[in-house]
Amino acid sequence: MTSTIRCRPEAVPRRSLGVRVRRVKGDFLIGVEDKALLLSGPAQLIYSSLDGARTVSEVSQLIAEEYGVGEEEALGDVREFLDDLAGRGLVEWVVRLPNPTSAP
């Protein structure tokens, strides 16, 4: 898969506003405009974990634990999947502002 977007492990993804989500026989059917995507298994877990608080690394740890795969493999798969979703407009990235520090 070729993608111009590449998420970092510390990036924080969230589901894009305006995306319709329906549960169909236990799976998620997500869509924007006239396009839809059916998510099941790991894809469904990844998408449901995108709460705007968890990092890509934290989501990949959930996948590694749930499916018994190595963390590096899970991280690669999660990053690739999120790149695809972001390219489709289904995921966006949370911009975290730096925490203000106290004056010395």
Side-chain angles (χ1 to χ4, degrees):
M1 177 178 119
T2 304
S3 176
T4 58
I5 302 168
R6 190 68 185 158
C7 60
R8 299 177 317 275
E10 68 275 7
V12 179
R14 71 173 182 192
R15 296 178 294 260
S16 296
L17 297 176
V19 175
R20 293 181 308 274
V21 179
R22 301 283 184 262
R23 190 172 282 277
V24 178
K25 296 182 182 179
D27 297 331
F28 284 165
L29 182 64
I30 61 175
V32 174
E33 298 174 6
D34 63 341
K35 297 178 182 146
L37 189 61
L38 185 65
L39 304 179
S40 61
Q44 182 179 354
L45 179 56
I46 293 167
Y47 189 78
S48 65
S49 299
L50 305 181
D51 58 6
R54 289 185 179 102
T55 64
V56 171
S57 182
E58 291 168 336
V59 172
S60 67
Q61 288 172 0
L62 291 173
I63 295 298
E65 291 170 9
E66 181 70 23
Y67 291 96
V69 298
E71 288 187 26
E72 286 299 315
E73 179 182 356
L75 179 60
D77 291 347
V78 167
R79 289 175 72 179
E80 183 176 346
F81 182 62
L82 292 176
D83 281 343
D84 182 51
L85 292 181
R88 296 172 188 247
L90 301 170
V91 167
E92 55 193 30
W93 304 102
V94 174
V95 176
R96 289 188 175 173
L97 300 175
N99 290 332
T101 57
S102 302

